[in-house]
């Protein structure tokens, strides 16, 4: 079974995975917004770094769930 297949199945059947993926996507939208700016304030730079770390942590949790179900 491919990673994409597992992700789709988990998204449909596992509320924890769905919540993690939704959060990850939401953070990605904000990171993209920040990245589209030519200049970031110091606060925005910190926000961008923090969001990227949160995204990575969410991805790690999703990978753990995928391993359990895969």
């Amino acid at each position: 079974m491919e990673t994409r297949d597992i992700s789709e199945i988990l998204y449909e059947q596992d509320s924890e995975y769905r919540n993690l993926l939704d959060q990850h996507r939401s953070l990605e939208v904000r990171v993209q917004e920040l990245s589209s700016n030519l200049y970031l304030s110091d606060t925005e730079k910190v926000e961008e770094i923090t969001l990227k770390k949160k995204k990575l942590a969410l991805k790690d949790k999703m990978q753990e769930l995928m391993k359990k179900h895969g």
Side-chain angles (χ1 to χ4, degrees):
M1 189 174 293
E2 291 184 24
T3 302
R4 182 173 179 184
D5 295 336
I6 295 169
S7 179
E8 290 173 2
I9 291 167
L10 285 174
Y11 189 81
E12 293 172 1
Q13 298 177 358
D14 189 311
S15 61
E16 180 183 6
Y17 183 86
R18 184 172 39 255
N19 183 38
L20 293 171
L21 186 57
D22 289 343
Q23 287 179 51
H24 188 273
R25 288 175 176 166
S26 179
L27 293 176
E28 177 62 24
V29 169
R30 181 62 182 143
V31 168
Q32 290 298 325
E33 289 171 358
L34 291 168
S35 296
S36 69
N37 294 332
L38 293 176
Y39 173 78
L40 295 178
S41 68
D42 290 341
T43 303
E44 289 170 327
K45 288 176 187 176
V46 170
E47 179 184 5
E48 183 181 38
I49 291 167
T50 302
L51 293 176
K52 287 180 177 181
K53 288 179 181 180
K54 287 180 180 179
K55 277 182 53 192
L56 185 56
L58 289 169
K59 188 172 182 177
D60 289 345
K61 289 178 184 177
M62 289 187 295
Q63 291 289 336
E64 288 175 24
L65 289 173
M66 290 173 72
K67 285 181 183 178
K68 287 181 185 177
H69 291 88

Coordinates of all heavy atoms in Angstrom, one line a residue:
M1 N 0.8 -1.2 0.0 CA 0.0 0.0 0.0 C 0.9 1.2 0.0 O 1.8 1.3 0.7 CB -0.9 0.0 1.2 CG -2.0 1.0 1.2 SD -3.1 1.0 2.6 CE -4.0 -0.6 2.2
E2 N 0.6 2.2 -0.8 CA 1.4 3.4 -1.0 C 1.1 4.4 0.2 O 0.0 4.3 0.8 CB 1.1 4.1 -2.3 CG 1.6 3.3 -3.5 CD 1.4 4.1 -4.8 OE1 1.3 5.3 -4.7 OE2 1.3 3.4 -5.8
T3 N 2.0 5.3 0.4 CA 1.8 6.2 1.5 C 0.6 7.1 1.3 O -0.2 7.3 2.2 CB 3.1 7.2 1.6 OG1 4.2 6.4 1.8 CG2 2.9 8.2 2.6
R4 N 0.4 7.5 0.0 CA -0.8 8.3 -0.3 C -2.1 7.5 0.0 O -3.0 8.1 0.6 CB -0.8 8.7 -1.7 CG -1.9 9.6 -2.1 CD -1.8 10.2 -3.4 NE -3.0 11.0 -3.6 CZ -3.3 11.6 -4.7 NH1 -2.5 11.5 -5.8 NH2 -4.4 12.3 -4.8
D5 N -2.1 6.3 -0.3 CA -3.3 5.5 0.0 C -3.6 5.4 1.5 O -4.7 5.6 1.9 CB -3.2 4.0 -0.5 CG -3.1 4.0 -2.0 OD1 -3.6 4.9 -2.7 OD2 -2.5 3.0 -2.6
I6 N -2.5 5.2 2.3 CA -2.7 5.1 3.7 C -3.2 6.5 4.3 O -4.1 6.5 5.1 CB -1.3 4.7 4.4 CG1 -0.9 3.3 4.0 CG2 -1.4 4.8 5.9 CD1 0.5 2.9 4.4
S7 N -2.6 7.5 3.8 CA -3.0 8.9 4.2 C -4.5 9.1 3.9 O -5.2 9.6 4.8 CB -2.2 9.9 3.5 OG -2.5 11.2 3.9
E8 N -4.9 8.8 2.7 CA -6.3 9.0 2.4 C -7.3 8.1 3.3 O -8.3 8.6 3.7 CB -6.6 8.6 0.9 CG -5.9 9.6 0.0 CD -6.0 9.2 -1.5 OE1 -6.6 8.1 -1.8 OE2 -5.4 9.9 -2.3
I9 N -6.9 6.9 3.5 CA -7.7 6.0 4.4 C -7.8 6.5 5.8 O -8.8 6.6 6.4 CB -7.2 4.6 4.3 CG1 -7.4 3.9 2.9 CG2 -7.8 3.7 5.4 CD1 -6.6 2.7 2.7
L10 N -6.6 6.9 6.3 CA -6.6 7.5 7.7 C -7.4 8.8 7.8 O -8.1 9.0 8.8 CB -5.1 7.7 8.1 CG -4.4 6.4 8.5 CD1 -2.9 6.8 8.8 CD2 -5.0 5.7 9.7
Y11 N -7.3 9.6 6.7 CA -8.0 10.9 6.8 C -9.5 10.6 6.9 O -10.3 11.3 7.6 CB -7.7 11.7 5.5 CG -8.3 13.1 5.6 CD1 -7.7 14.1 6.4 CD2 -9.5 13.4 5.0 CE1 -8.2 15.3 6.5 CE2 -10.1 14.7 5.1 CZ -9.4 15.6 5.8 OH -10.0 16.9 6.0
E12 N -10.0 9.6 6.2 CA -11.4 9.2 6.2 C -11.8 8.5 7.4 O -13.0 8.7 7.9 CB -11.7 8.3 5.0 CG -11.6 9.0 3.6 CD -11.7 8.0 2.5 OE1 -12.0 6.8 2.7 OE2 -11.6 8.5 1.3
Q13 N -11.0 7.7 8.0 CA -11.4 6.8 9.1 C -10.8 7.2 10.5 O -11.4 6.7 11.5 CB -10.9 5.4 8.8 CG -11.6 4.9 7.5 CD -11.1 3.5 7.2 OE1 -10.2 2.9 7.9 NE2 -11.6 2.9 6.1
D14 N -9.8 8.0 10.6 CA -9.2 8.3 11.9 C -9.3 9.8 12.2 O -8.6 10.6 11.6 CB -7.7 7.8 11.8 CG -7.0 7.9 13.2 OD1 -7.1 8.9 13.9 OD2 -6.3 6.9 13.5
S15 N -10.1 10.1 13.2 CA -10.3 11.5 13.5 C -9.0 12.2 14.0 O -8.8 13.4 13.8 CB -11.4 11.7 14.5 OG -11.1 11.0 15.7
E16 N -8.2 11.5 14.7 CA -6.9 12.0 15.2 C -6.0 12.4 14.0 O -5.5 13.5 13.9 CB -6.1 11.1 16.1 CG -4.8 11.6 16.6 CD -4.0 10.7 17.4 OE1 -4.4 9.5 17.6 OE2 -3.0 11.1 18.0
Y17 N -5.9 11.5 13.0 CA -5.1 11.8 11.8 C -5.7 13.0 11.1 O -5.0 13.8 10.6 CB -5.0 10.5 11.0 CG -4.1 10.7 9.7 CD1 -2.7 10.5 9.9 CD2 -4.6 11.2 8.5 CE1 -1.9 10.7 8.8 CE2 -3.8 11.4 7.4 CZ -2.5 11.2 7.6 OH -1.6 11.4 6.5
R18 N -7.0 12.9 10.9 CA -7.7 14.0 10.2 C -7.4 15.4 10.8 O -7.1 16.4 10.2 CB -9.2 13.7 10.1 CG -10.0 14.7 9.3 CD -11.4 14.3 9.1 NE -12.1 13.7 10.2 CZ -12.3 12.4 10.3 NH1 -12.0 11.5 9.4 NH2 -12.9 11.9 11.4
N19 N -7.5 15.4 12.2 CA -7.2 16.6 12.9 C -5.8 17.1 12.7 O -5.6 18.3 12.4 CB -7.5 16.4 14.4 CG -7.4 17.7 15.2 OD1 -7.7 18.8 14.8 ND2 -6.8 17.5 16.4
L20 N -4.9 16.2 12.8 CA -3.4 16.5 12.6 C -3.2 17.1 11.1 O -2.5 18.1 11.0 CB -2.5 15.3 12.8 CG -2.5 14.8 14.2 CD1 -1.7 13.4 14.2 CD2 -1.8 15.8 15.1
L21 N -3.8 16.4 10.2 CA -3.6 16.9 8.8 C -4.3 18.2 8.5 O -3.7 19.1 7.9 CB -4.1 15.8 7.8 CG -3.9 16.1 6.3 CD1 -2.4 16.2 6.0 CD2 -4.5 15.0 5.5
D22 N -5.4 18.4 9.1 CA -6.1 19.7 8.9 C -5.3 20.8 9.6 O -5.1 21.9 9.0 CB -7.5 19.7 9.5 CG -8.5 18.8 8.7 OD1 -8.2 18.5 7.5 OD2 -9.5 18.5 9.3
Q23 N -4.7 20.6 10.7 CA -3.8 21.5 11.4 C -2.6 21.8 10.5 O -2.2 23.0 10.4 CB -3.4 21.0 12.8 CG -4.5 21.0 13.8 CD -3.9 20.5 15.1 OE1 -2.9 21.0 15.6 NE2 -4.6 19.5 15.7
H24 N -2.0 20.8 10.0 CA -0.8 20.9 9.2 C -1.1 21.8 8.0 O -0.4 22.7 7.6 CB -0.3 19.5 8.7 CG 1.0 19.5 8.0 ND1 1.1 19.7 6.7 CD2 2.2 19.4 8.5 CE1 2.3 19.6 6.3 NE2 3.1 19.5 7.4
R25 N -2.3 21.5 7.3 CA -2.6 22.3 6.1 C -2.9 23.8 6.5 O -2.5 24.7 5.7 CB -3.9 21.7 5.5 CG -3.6 20.4 4.8 CD -4.9 19.8 4.3 NE -4.6 18.5 3.6 CZ -5.5 17.6 3.2 NH1 -6.8 17.8 3.6 NH2 -5.2 16.6 2.6
S26 N -3.5 24.0 7.6 CA -3.8 25.3 8.1 C -2.5 26.1 8.3 O -2.3 27.3 7.9 CB -4.6 25.3 9.4 OG -4.8 26.6 9.8
L27 N -1.5 25.4 9.0 CA -0.2 26.1 9.2 C 0.5 26.3 7.9 O 1.2 27.4 7.7 CB 0.7 25.2 10.1 CG 0.2 25.0 11.6 CD1 1.1 24.0 12.3 CD2 0.1 26.3 12.3
E28 N 0.4 25.4 7.0 CA 1.0 25.6 5.7 C 0.5 26.8 4.9 O 1.3 27.6 4.3 CB 0.8 24.4 4.8 CG 1.4 24.5 3.4 CD 2.9 24.7 3.4 OE1 3.6 24.2 4.3 OE2 3.4 25.2 2.4
V29 N -0.8 27.1 5.1 CA -1.4 28.3 4.5 C -0.7 29.5 5.0 O -0.3 30.5 4.3 CB -2.9 28.3 4.7 CG1 -3.5 29.7 4.3 CG2 -3.6 27.2 3.9
R30 N -0.6 29.6 6.3 CA 0.0 30.8 7.0 C 1.5 30.9 6.6 O 2.0 32.0 6.3 CB -0.1 30.7 8.5 CG 0.4 31.9 9.2 CD -0.2 33.2 8.9 NE 0.4 34.3 9.6 CZ 0.6 35.5 9.0 NH1 0.2 35.8 7.8 NH2 1.3 36.4 9.7
V31 N 2.2 29.8 6.5 CA 3.6 29.8 6.2 C 3.7 30.4 4.7 O 4.6 31.2 4.4 CB 4.3 28.4 6.3 CG1 5.7 28.4 5.6 CG2 4.4 28.0 7.7
Q32 N 2.9 29.9 3.9 CA 2.9 30.4 2.5 C 2.6 31.9 2.4 O 3.2 32.7 1.6 CB 1.9 29.7 1.6 CG 2.2 28.2 1.3 CD 3.5 28.1 0.6 OE1 3.8 28.9 -0.3 NE2 4.3 27.1 0.9
E33 N 1.7 32.4 3.3 CA 1.4 33.8 3.3 C 2.6 34.6 3.7 O 3.0 35.6 3.2 CB 0.3 34.1 4.3 CG -1.1 33.6 3.9 CD -2.2 33.8 5.0 OE1 -1.8 34.2 6.1 OE2 -3.3 33.4 4.7
L34 N 3.3 34.1 4.8 CA 4.5 34.8 5.2 C 5.6 34.7 4.2 O 6.3 35.7 4.0 CB 5.0 34.1 6.5 CG 4.1 34.4 7.8 CD1 4.6 33.5 8.9 CD2 4.2 35.8 8.2
S35 N 5.7 33.6 3.5 CA 6.8 33.4 2.5 C 6.6 34.3 1.3 O 7.5 34.7 0.6 CB 6.8 32.0 2.0 OG 7.2 31.2 3.1
S36 N 5.3 34.7 1.1 CA 5.0 35.6 -0.1 C 5.4 37.0 0.1 O 5.5 37.8 -0.8 CB 3.5 35.5 -0.5 OG 2.8 36.1 0.5
N37 N 5.7 37.4 1.4 CA 6.1 38.8 1.7 C 7.6 39.0 1.3 O 8.4 38.1 1.5 CB 5.9 39.1 3.2 CG 4.5 39.1 3.6 OD1 3.6 39.4 2.8 ND2 4.3 38.8 4.9
L38 N 7.9 40.1 0.8 CA 9.3 40.4 0.4 C 10.1 40.7 1.7 O 11.3 40.4 1.7 CB 9.3 41.6 -0.5 CG 8.7 41.5 -1.9 CD1 8.8 42.8 -2.6 CD2 9.5 40.4 -2.7
Y39 N 9.5 41.2 2.7 CA 10.2 41.5 3.9 C 9.3 41.0 5.1 O 8.1 41.2 5.1 CB 10.4 43.0 4.0 CG 10.9 43.4 5.4 CD1 12.3 43.3 5.7 CD2 10.1 43.9 6.4 CE1 12.8 43.6 6.9 CE2 10.6 44.3 7.6 CZ 12.0 44.1 7.9 OH 12.5 44.5 9.1
L40 N 10.0 40.4 6.0 CA 9.3 39.9 7.3 C 9.9 40.7 8.4 O 11.1 40.9 8.6 CB 9.5 38.4 7.5 CG 9.0 37.5 6.5 CD1 9.3 36.0 6.9 CD2 7.5 37.6 6.4
S41 N 9.0 41.1 9.3 CA 9.4 41.8 10.5 C 10.0 40.7 11.4 O 9.9 39.5 11.1 CB 8.2 42.4 11.2 OG 7.3 41.4 11.7
D42 N 10.7 41.1 12.5 CA 11.3 40.1 13.4 C 10.2 39.2 14.0 O 10.4 38.0 14.1 CB 12.0 40.9 14.5 CG 13.3 41.5 14.0 OD1 13.8 41.2 13.0 OD2 13.8 42.4 14.8
T43 N 9.0 39.8 14.3 CA 7.9 39.0 14.8 C 7.5 37.9 13.8 O 7.2 36.8 14.1 CB 6.8 39.9 15.2 OG1 7.2 40.9 16.1 CG2 5.6 39.1 15.8
E44 N 7.4 38.4 12.5 CA 6.9 37.4 11.5 C 8.0 36.3 11.2 O 7.6 35.2 11.0 CB 6.7 38.2 10.2 CG 5.4 39.1 10.3 CD 5.3 40.0 9.1 OE1 6.3 40.5 8.5 OE2 4.1 40.2 8.7
K45 N 9.3 36.7 11.4 CA 10.3 35.7 11.2 C 10.2 34.6 12.3 O 10.3 33.4 12.0 CB 11.7 36.3 11.2 CG 12.0 37.2 10.0 CD 13.4 37.9 10.2 CE 13.6 38.8 9.1 NZ 14.9 39.6 9.3
V46 N 10.0 35.1 13.5 CA 9.8 34.1 14.6 C 8.6 33.3 14.4 O 8.6 32.1 14.6 CB 9.7 34.9 16.0 CG1 9.3 33.9 17.1 CG2 11.1 35.6 16.3
E47 N 7.5 33.9 14.0 CA 6.3 33.2 13.7 C 6.5 32.1 12.6 O 6.1 31.0 12.7 CB 5.2 34.1 13.2 CG 3.9 33.4 12.9 CD 2.8 34.3 12.3 OE1 3.0 35.5 12.1 OE2 1.7 33.8 12.1
E48 N 7.2 32.5 11.5 CA 7.5 31.5 10.5 C 8.3 30.3 11.0 O 7.9 29.2 10.7 CB 8.2 32.2 9.3 CG 8.5 31.3 8.2 CD 9.2 32.0 7.1 OE1 10.1 32.8 7.4 OE2 8.9 31.7 5.9
I49 N 9.3 30.6 11.8 CA 10.1 29.5 12.3 C 9.3 28.6 13.2 O 9.3 27.4 13.1 CB 11.3 30.1 13.0 CG1 12.3 30.7 12.0 CG2 12.0 29.0 13.9 CD1 13.4 31.6 12.7
T50 N 8.5 29.2 14.1 CA 7.6 28.5 15.0 C 6.6 27.6 14.2 O 6.4 26.5 14.6 CB 6.9 29.5 15.9 OG1 7.8 30.2 16.6 CG2 6.0 28.7 16.9
L51 N 6.0 28.2 13.2 CA 5.0 27.4 12.4 C 5.7 26.3 11.7 O 5.1 25.2 11.7 CB 4.3 28.4 11.4 CG 3.4 29.5 12.0 CD1 2.9 30.3 10.8 CD2 2.3 28.9 12.8
K52 N 6.8 26.5 11.2 CA 7.5 25.4 10.5 C 7.9 24.2 11.5 O 7.8 23.0 11.2 CB 8.8 25.9 9.8 CG 8.5 26.7 8.6 CD 9.8 27.2 7.9 CE 9.5 27.9 6.6 NZ 10.7 28.4 6.0
K53 N 8.3 24.6 12.7 CA 8.5 23.6 13.7 C 7.3 22.8 14.1 O 7.3 21.6 14.3 CB 9.2 24.2 15.0 CG 10.6 24.6 14.8 CD 11.2 25.3 16.0 CE 12.6 25.7 15.8 NZ 13.2 26.3 17.0
K54 N 6.1 23.5 14.2 CA 4.9 22.9 14.6 C 4.4 22.0 13.4 O 3.9 20.9 13.7 CB 3.8 24.0 14.8 CG 3.9 24.7 16.1 CD 2.8 25.7 16.3 CE 3.0 26.4 17.6 NZ 2.0 27.5 17.9
K55 N 4.6 22.4 12.2 CA 4.3 21.6 11.0 C 5.1 20.3 11.1 O 4.5 19.2 10.8 CB 4.6 22.3 9.7 CG 3.5 23.3 9.3 CD 3.8 23.9 7.9 CE 4.2 22.9 6.9 NZ 4.8 23.4 5.7
L56 N 6.4 20.4 11.4 CA 7.2 19.2 11.4 C 6.8 18.3 12.5 O 6.7 17.0 12.3 CB 8.7 19.6 11.6 CG 9.7 18.5 11.6 CD1 9.6 17.8 10.3 CD2 11.1 19.1 11.8
A57 N 6.4 18.8 13.7 CA 5.9 18.0 14.8 C 4.6 17.2 14.4 O 4.4 16.1 14.7 CB 5.7 18.8 16.0
L58 N 3.7 18.0 13.7 CA 2.5 17.3 13.2 C 2.8 16.3 12.2 O 2.2 15.2 12.3 CB 1.6 18.4 12.6 CG 1.0 19.4 13.6 CD1 0.3 20.5 12.8 CD2 0.0 18.7 14.5
K59 N 3.7 16.5 11.3 CA 4.1 15.5 10.3 C 4.6 14.3 11.0 O 4.3 13.2 10.5 CB 5.1 16.1 9.3 CG 5.3 15.2 8.1 CD 6.2 15.9 7.1 CE 6.4 15.0 5.9 NZ 7.1 15.6 4.8
D60 N 5.5 14.5 12.0 CA 6.0 13.3 12.7 C 4.9 12.5 13.3 O 4.9 11.2 13.3 CB 7.0 13.8 13.8 CG 8.3 14.3 13.2 OD1 8.6 14.0 12.0 OD2 9.0 15.0 14.0
K61 N 3.9 13.1 13.9 CA 2.8 12.4 14.5 C 2.0 11.7 13.5 O 1.5 10.5 13.7 CB 1.9 13.4 15.3 CG 2.5 13.9 16.6 CD 1.6 14.9 17.3 CE 2.3 15.5 18.5 NZ 1.4 16.5 19.1
M62 N 1.8 12.3 12.3 CA 1.1 11.6 11.2 C 1.8 10.4 10.7 O 1.2 9.4 10.5 CB 0.8 12.6 10.1 CG -0.2 13.7 10.4 SD -0.7 14.7 9.0 CE 0.8 15.6 8.6
Q63 N 3.1 10.6 10.6 CA 4.0 9.4 10.2 C 3.8 8.3 11.2 O 3.8 7.1 10.8 CB 5.4 9.8 10.1 CG 5.7 10.8 8.9 CD 5.6 10.1 7.6 OE1 5.7 8.9 7.4 NE2 5.3 10.9 6.6
E64 N 3.8 8.6 12.5 CA 3.6 7.5 13.5 C 2.3 6.8 13.3 O 2.3 5.5 13.4 CB 3.7 8.1 14.9 CG 5.0 8.6 15.3 CD 5.0 9.3 16.7 OE1 4.1 9.0 17.5 OE2 5.9 10.1 17.0
L65 N 1.2 7.5 13.1 CA -0.1 6.9 12.9 C -0.1 6.1 11.6 O -0.6 5.0 11.5 CB -1.2 8.0 12.8 CG -1.5 8.7 14.1 CD1 -2.5 9.8 13.9 CD2 -2.1 7.6 15.1
M66 N 0.6 6.6 10.6 CA 0.7 5.8 9.3 C 1.4 4.5 9.5 O 1.0 3.5 8.9 CB 1.3 6.7 8.2 CG 0.5 7.8 7.8 SD 1.3 9.0 6.6 CE 1.4 8.0 5.2
K67 N 2.5 4.5 10.3 CA 3.3 3.3 10.6 C 2.4 2.3 11.3 O 2.5 1.1 11.0 CB 4.5 3.6 11.4 CG 5.6 4.2 10.6 CD 6.8 4.5 11.4 CE 7.9 5.2 10.6 NZ 9.1 5.5 11.4
K68 N 1.6 2.8 12.3 CA 0.7 1.9 13.0 C -0.3 1.2 12.1 O -0.7 0.0 12.4 CB 0.0 2.6 14.1 CG 0.9 3.0 15.3 CD 0.1 3.8 16.3 CE 1.0 4.3 17.5 NZ 0.2 5.1 18.4
H69 N -0.8 1.9 11.1 CA -1.9 1.4 10.3 C -1.4 0.9 9.0 O -2.2 0.3 8.2 CB -2.9 2.6 10.0 CG -3.7 2.9 11.2 ND1 -3.2 3.9 12.1 CD2 -4.8 2.5 11.7 CE1 -4.1 4.0 13.1 NE2 -5.1 3.2 12.9
G70 N -0.1 1.0 8.7 CA 0.4 0.6 7.4 C 1.0 -0.7 7.4 O 1.2 -1.5 6.6

